[in-house]
Amino acid sequence: MKIALGCDHGGYLLKESIKNHLEKKGFECLDYGTHFTESVNYPLYAKKVGYSVANLECELGILCCGTGIGMSIAANKMQGVRAAVVSDTFSARATREHNNSNVLCLGERVVGESLALVIVDTWLEAEFQGGRHQERLDLVEQLERSLKYKTI
Ligand code: RB5
């Protein structure tokens, strides 16, 4: 499975650690940067990973920033992206099983490295349950389409 990775300066160390962890487990990682600790703007990296996942270049994506929140806000602006900020293993499992999230967002300043790696493993191992959850995601998709060119 190919996984897109991205981060800003606030999530750089965690992204590197996740990449190392995933490559050891045999996953192919496409690293969209940043590759440095200098300050950068997180939406640029959310966009790269979001496109990669939405265009099916990568099956899933992982984004790291200071909190995970900015990355999730930016990534969720993109059609077809279902990004979830997670800081516990229960939510990691639930957001795959129920929301079919395709992008995981983590905050380097929120979760420690060891917990983050368990969250990543839990998220990757969980499977979407479909059924009533698919009906709900269909409604989310309708919302996404209906609001695309309208203002409220
Ligand atoms: C950068 O300082 C920080 O704002 C960013 O990494 C992230 O936490 C935004 O949501």
Side-chain angles (χ1 to χ4, degrees):
M1 182 195 288
K2 256 199 215 173
I3 301 179
L5 298 179
C7 67
D8 72 354
H9 54 288
Y12 170 74
L13 292 176
L14 184 55
K15 184 264 288 175
E16 289 296 301
S17 162
I18 291 170
K19 182 164 77 171
N20 183 40
H21 177 72
L22 291 178
E23 285 178 346
K24 272 194 202 145
K25 294 186 113 186
F27 289 98
E28 188 182 344
C29 295
L30 268 188
D31 185 350
Y32 289 94
T34 181
H35 303 288
F36 311 99
T37 51
E38 280 78 28
S39 182
V40 291
N41 295 325
Y42 61 80
L44 303 177
Y45 299 90
K47 183 178 171 184
K48 290 170 197 270
V49 168
Y51 268 125
S52 184
V53 172
N55 294 326
L56 307 177
E57 191 177 358
C58 285
E59 199 172 316
L60 296 171
I62 299 177
L63 286 164
C64 303
C65 65
T67 59
I69 297 170
M71 284 296 196
S72 71
I73 290 172
N76 277 321
K77 298 289 178 200
M78 300 168 74
Q79 201 158 15
V81 171
R82 293 177 300 279
V85 193
V86 171
S87 52
D88 66 275
T89 54
F90 177 82
S91 304
R93 180 171 305 286
T95 195
R96 284 286 280 151
E97 291 182 347
H98 294 198
N99 315 124
N100 200 14
S101 57
N102 49 16
V103 175
L104 176 69
C105 300
L106 293 161
E108 184 181 308
R109 299 171 190 161
V110 180
V111 288
E113 182 188 3
S114 304
L115 175 57
L117 297 181
V118 178
I119 287 172
V120 166
D121 289 344
T122 304
W123 185 69
L124 289 173
E125 281 160 22
E127 280 177 29
F128 180 51
Q129 289 178 349
R132 66 187 189 282
H133 302 296
Q134 184 58 56
E135 280 175 43
R136 292 159 189 167
L137 288 181
D138 290 344
L139 291 169
V140 171
E141 201 181 316
Q142 266 180 38
L143 194 61
E144 186 178 56
R145 288 180 195 284
S146 69
L147 294 179
K148 198 171 173 198
Y149 300 110
K150 291 178 190 167
T151 51
I152 298 172

